[in-house]
């Protein structure tokens, strides 16, 4: 086992264009040389493939050594046995184009970045959670690349600042920064331990059905518990199909297993404002400045409550695993329910995204005072 190593490289070029515009093209590339991969070697390799379009294996047991019947030396009770090994599969790159121009009192800047980032694992506090919380399409021990947790495929940013000195003792500047980018990424996973790997569920990437014959739909809690869902399979499919159709990622990946972090949230658009007022005097060679600042973060939201809002996923685990079909023509197929968004009022999930009501979507203001001398 080797400690993590990564190779990084970058290349950039600046070019002055007609009109005194400075263009910058920059590329960065990172490659994992010795990244850390995590495998649970106490997970059995035997199991039974699902019947139907999704052929993933459901493991025969969650553990090889479970201490069943009483733990012994030859059959100890082991929860997870996480093996750390090295991998060099992960990589990331960015390409940025920037244009900037200086006027007498005005500065303008605009840039666009395209990026790609894939890894085997992202984040986690301990080795067990690094393995457990990674969404997988089949074998949770496979060296399977996926989009990174903080993958941001596109980002636009622009800024403008104007400064004017006047009447010998005063200067006023106004600055604006505009940013637009996806608000994050997510993975569409099942609710429940579909492959019986003992993780507790929500790490199995969903198979996106092509049609109603591609999935067995049942009322909520068919696999156990009180059933209060009275919808028929046709009614459930109609609601699920409408949900898939309105989702940009799901609708374009029918008949496939969803990829990790491949569902990209809509763009947020945020404008920040800064106003600075300087009062200054000169005493000999020194200049004394009293600076007052006023900043508004997400100023668009201050002007209109519908502006500057971020989006979050309504639900990334909208299908609940309800066990295997026990008998009949569909025997051996997994069955799923499509839980209500609001069960009390029988309101289904209809939209992939909802407004994020955290401070990200709210305007904030601050004032400052500073004394500068030199």
């Amino acid at each position: 086992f080797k400690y993590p190593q990564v190779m990084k490289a970058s290349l950039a070029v600046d070019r002055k264009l007609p009109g005194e515009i400075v263009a910058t093209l920059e590329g960065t590339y990172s490659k994992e040389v010795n990244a850390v991969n995590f495998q649970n070697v106490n997970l059995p390799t035997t199991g039974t493939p699902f019947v139907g379009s999704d052929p993933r294996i459901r493991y025969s047991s969650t553990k090889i050594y479970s201490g069943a019947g009483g733990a012994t030396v030859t059959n100890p009770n082991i929860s997870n046995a996480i093996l750390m090994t090295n991998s060099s599969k992960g990589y990331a790159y960015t390409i940025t184009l920037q244009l900037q121009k200086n006027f007498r009192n005005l500065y303008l800047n605009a840039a666009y970045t395209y990026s790609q980032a894939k890894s085997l694992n992202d984040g986690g506090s301990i080795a067990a959670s690094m393995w457990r919380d990674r969404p997988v399409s089949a074998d949770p021990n496979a060296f399977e690349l996926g989009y990174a947790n903080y993958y941001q495929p596109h980002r636009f940013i622009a800024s403008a600042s104007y400064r004017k000195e006047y009447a010998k003792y005063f200067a006023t500047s106004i600055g604006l920064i505009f940013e637009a980018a996806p608000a994050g990424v997510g993975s569409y996973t099942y609710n429940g331990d579909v492959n019986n790997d003992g993780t507790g569920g929500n790490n199995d990437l969903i198979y996106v059905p092509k049609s109603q014959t591609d999935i067995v739909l049942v009322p909520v809690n068919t696999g156990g518990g009180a059933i209060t869902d009275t919808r028929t399979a046709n009614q459930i499919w109609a609601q699920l199909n409408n949900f898939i159709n309105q989702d940009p990622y799901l609708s374009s990946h029918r008949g496939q297993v969803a990829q990790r972090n491949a569902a990209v949230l809509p763009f947020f658009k945020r404008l920040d404002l800064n106003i600075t007022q300087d009062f200054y005097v000169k005493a000999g060679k020194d200049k004394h400045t009293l600076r007052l600042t006023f900043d508004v973060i997400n100023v668009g939201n201050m002007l209109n409550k519908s502006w500057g809002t971020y989006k979050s996923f309504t639900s990334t685990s909208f299908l609940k695993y309800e066990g295997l079909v026990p008998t009949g023509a569909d025997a051996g197929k997994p069955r799923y329910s499509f839980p209500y968004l609001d069960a009390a009022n029988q309101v289904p999930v209809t939209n992939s995204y909802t407004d994020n009501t955290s401070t990200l979507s709210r305007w904030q203001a601050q004032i400052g005072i500073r004394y500068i001398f030199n």
Side-chain angles (χ1 to χ4, degrees):
F1 179 80
K2 296 180 180 179
Y3 284 109
Q5 289 179 301
V6 62
M7 180 193 74
K8 295 184 178 182
S10 63
L11 180 65
V13 59
D14 292 327
R15 178 75 175 180
K16 184 173 286 187
L17 304 178
E20 298 299 310
I21 297 174
V22 177
T24 300
L25 181 64
E26 180 176 9
T28 67
Y29 179 74
S30 298
K31 183 71 174 73
E32 291 179 341
V33 178
N34 287 311
V36 184
N37 190 47
F38 301 88
Q39 296 172 297
N40 180 13
V41 294
N42 197 36
L43 179 69
T45 58
T46 58
T48 304
F50 284 147
V51 177
S53 301
D54 183 2
R56 80 183 71 199
I57 290 177
R58 181 167 173 81
Y59 294 101
S60 55
S61 173
T62 60
K63 304 175 184 177
I64 297 175
Y65 297 100
S66 62
T72 65
V73 173
T74 56
N75 184 27
N77 184 6
I78 299 174
S79 55
N80 294 321
I82 305 301
L83 172 67
M84 295 192 298
T85 56
N86 292 119
S87 169
S88 60
K89 285 192 171 185
Y91 66 90
Y93 65 83
T94 67
I95 301 173
T96 299
L97 175 63
Q98 176 183 259
L99 299 175
Q100 51 187 327
K101 180 174 173 60
N102 272 311
F103 296 87
R104 181 177 179 183
N105 298 310
L106 178 66
Y107 170 75
L108 300 175
N109 185 336
Y112 164 73
T113 298
Y114 173 80
S115 64
Q116 181 82 268
K118 289 194 172 185
S119 63
L120 291 178
N121 298 279
D122 279 310
S125 57
I126 58 176
S129 65
M130 295 284 283
W131 174 80
R132 179 196 65 210
D133 297 338
R134 178 185 64 178
V136 294
S137 61
D139 180 3
N141 282 333
F143 282 51
E144 183 176 293
L145 276 179
Y147 290 107
N149 286 353
Y150 299 99
Y151 165 59
Q152 191 177 65
H154 307 283
R155 182 173 183 254
F156 297 89
I157 190 164
S159 63
S161 61
Y162 179 83
R163 176 179 170 85
K164 177 68 175 178
E165 297 183 1
Y166 54 95
K168 294 185 180 181
Y169 306 109
F170 308 100
T172 301
S173 63
I174 299 175
L176 293 167
I177 298 177
F178 173 78
E179 182 182 7
V185 295
S187 304
Y188 283 126
T189 59
Y190 290 116
N191 178 355
D193 191 2
V194 173
N195 64 353
N196 197 38
D197 61 4
T199 62
N202 294 81
N203 76 323
D204 297 309
L205 294 164
I206 71 165
Y207 169 81
V208 188
K210 300 187 295 290
S211 62
Q212 187 173 355
T213 59
D214 222 15
I215 187 172
V216 178
L217 293 169
V218 295
V220 178
N221 293 331
T222 297
I227 300 176
T228 58
D229 186 354
T230 60
R231 291 173 294 177
T232 66
N234 288 341
Q235 289 172 326
I236 298 172
W237 169 252
Q239 294 174 356
L240 173 60
N241 191 50
N242 288 337
F243 178 77
I244 293 174
N245 283 336
Q246 61 81 45
D247 185 280
Y249 180 79
L250 295 174
S251 60
S252 60
H253 289 81
R254 287 182 182 266
Q256 302 174 28
V257 176
Q259 294 175 287
R260 173 163 61 99
N261 288 330
V264 181
L265 284 167
F267 275 61
F268 69 85
K269 302 175 183 66
R270 194 180 83 181
L271 182 67
D272 298 337
L273 169 69
N274 167 267
I275 300 175
T276 299
Q277 179 64 50
D278 287 349
F279 305 89
Y280 54 82
V281 295
K282 291 184 178 181
K285 295 182 179 180
D286 295 329
K287 182 179 180 181
H288 300 265
T289 303
L290 180 66
R291 173 168 291 174
L292 305 178
T293 59
F294 176 62
D295 296 280
V296 181
I297 300 171
N298 203 355
V299 67
N301 186 250
M302 183 177 71
L303 302 175
N304 186 317
K305 65 179 182 180
S306 298
W307 295 351
T309 56
Y310 288 62
K311 295 290 185 180
S312 300
F313 289 104
T314 304
S315 174
T316 54
S317 298
F318 54 86
L319 287 174
K320 181 183 178 184
Y321 177 64
E322 300 282 357
L324 299 176
V325 178
T327 60
D330 291 327
K333 289 184 178 180
R335 55 190 182 184
Y336 302 101
S337 61
F338 183 52
Y340 285 114
L341 179 65
D342 180 357
N345 296 297
Q346 297 186 339
V347 178
V349 183
T350 57
N351 296 307
S352 299
Y353 317 118
T354 185
D355 287 344
N356 184 329
T357 57
S358 70
T359 54
L360 284 174
S361 298
R362 303 179 185 183
W363 68 271
Q364 303 167 67
Q366 64 181 14
I367 57 175
I369 183 169
R370 184 181 184 189
Y371 172 60
I372 304 171
F373 59 93
N374 52 29

